[in-house]
Amino acid sequence: MEGDIVVRGIVLTAALYGEYDKRLVLLTDTLGRITVFANSARREKSPLKAVCQSFTMARFRLRQGRNAYTLISAEIENSFREMALDMEKMCYGAYMCELMDFFTHEGVGAAAELNLLYVSFLALLDNRYDNRLIKTVFELKTLDIEGIGLHMGACVISGDKENIHHIDYSLGGAVCDGCLKRAKHPIRISAGALYTMRYILSSGISKVYNFKLEEHLLKEVSDLTTGYLKRNADREFKSLMILENITESM
């Protein structure tokens, strides 16, 4: 129908609404994060039933209302159903959706965020990659896309690209030895971790998962990333807490 909007997006969350409807939160390329109501989506023969599931990527035809959108139809591109067969992968996927929900906004295009989420889902389903590495890369790239990423290419004070052995969260990046006295809370970083973080931040989204890390480097980069993320995301992510409980019980 004339006036309808077609967007490409991924279902971040899908919740029951009323007797037969669903309330979706979509991450879309052009509209950012939006709320969409799918009327009668829970009826057995509804053509909307399949698309109203978390992680589903599709082209959505929407009708704009006063405070939200109504889902008219959709063409599924990838359902990522395999994620539901692995509790750990499902938790990682849900965490990524939570992180996108936190950082994105309605009315602000999120094409890069959508692409990162899609590529990350593919990586989760590829058993060649460590889930912890995928999580760390996703966090680093998300922060960078949102304009609050760590500046690792050179010292944030002097611009020196050499003699870097520390980072400072409060300064937002790397600090060289010559500027160390000006850092407020310097944290030691190994040469391997510095190289890895530079590689992740400089890589295109489509190629960012094409590597592996030794355990000690993965832990260091993960810890550094988690510490910086906590400075920029004042929220307890439910899926991450569930994931931690699953990991502890393994």
Side-chain angles (χ1 to χ4, degrees):
M1 180 179 292
E2 186 177 351
D4 289 352
I5 304 167
V6 177
V7 296
R8 189 167 183 251
I10 290 177
V11 180
L12 297 182
T13 61
L16 304 182
Y17 186 80
E19 188 173 359
Y20 296 109
D21 307 336
K22 275 196 169 184
R23 178 183 180 276
L24 311 177
V25 176
L26 305 183
L27 179 67
T28 72
D29 51 358
T30 56
L31 300 177
R33 171 175 47 81
I34 59 173
T35 299
V36 175
F37 291 95
N39 298 327
S40 300
R42 293 160 58 199
R43 292 186 182 276
E44 188 63 32
K45 295 184 179 180
S46 172
L48 302 178
K49 186 175 182 180
V51 78
C52 294
Q53 308 294 329
S54 295
F55 310 139
T56 303
M57 185 168 193
R59 290 191 179 277
F60 300 88
R61 181 175 293 278
L62 310 173
R63 191 162 298 159
Q64 187 171 9
R66 181 174 298 178
N67 300 312
Y69 294 85
T70 299
L71 179 59
I72 306 303
S73 63
E75 297 179 8
I76 296 177
E77 294 185 1
N78 198 324
S79 66
F80 293 103
R81 290 179 181 175
E82 302 96 321
M83 209 104 76
L85 302 177
D86 187 313
M87 188 63 179
E88 183 177 330
K89 290 183 185 297
M90 186 170 67
C91 285
Y92 276 108
Y95 168 64
M96 291 174 182
C97 288
E98 279 194 87
L99 207 60
M100 285 302 182
D101 183 78
F102 178 84
F103 279 113
T104 56
H105 305 277
E106 182 171 353
V108 181
E113 290 93 336
L114 181 64
N115 190 21
L116 176 62
L117 189 59
Y118 171 69
V119 169
S120 300
F121 282 176
L122 291 176
L124 277 175
L125 295 178
D126 188 333
N127 293 322
R128 293 177 299 170
Y129 304 113
D130 190 311
N131 293 335
R132 297 169 299 165
L133 175 60
I134 297 170
K135 170 181 174 290
T136 299
V137 171
F138 183 83
E139 291 169 339
L140 272 175
K141 296 297 281 187
T142 297
L143 290 166
D144 193 49
I145 290 170
E146 299 307 319
I148 50 176
L150 284 165
H151 296 279
M152 303 300 291
C155 174
V156 293
I157 299 174
S158 67
D160 190 351
K161 296 183 179 180
E162 305 297 332
N163 301 312
I164 293 176
H165 302 101
H166 295 82
I167 65 172
D168 190 322
Y169 294 152
S170 63
L171 296 176
V175 179
C176 71
D177 294 347
C179 297
L180 193 56
K181 291 183 179 179
R182 298 168 62 183
K184 298 178 181 179
H185 305 287
I187 301 170
R188 187 80 179 181
I189 184 172
S190 69
L194 177 64
Y195 175 83
T196 300
M197 295 175 80
R198 283 176 169 175
Y199 174 82
I200 293 170
L201 291 168
S202 64
S203 294
I205 291 174
S206 63
K207 299 180 179 179
V208 74
Y209 290 112
N210 293 339
F211 71 101
K212 297 180 180 180
L213 281 182
E214 294 180 4
E215 183 65 30
H216 72 283
L217 268 183
L218 174 57
K219 184 179 187 310
E220 182 181 2
V221 175
S222 176
D223 289 347
L224 290 172
T225 302
T226 297
Y228 187 63
L229 177 64
K230 287 181 177 179
R231 281 185 66 95
N232 293 280
D234 56 344
R235 176 193 290 184
E236 292 291 336
F237 296 99
K238 293 181 181 179
S239 51
L240 199 56
M241 291 188 285
I242 295 172
L243 180 61
E244 290 172 352
N245 291 333
I246 292 174
T247 304
E248 289 174 0
S249 63
M250 291 177 65

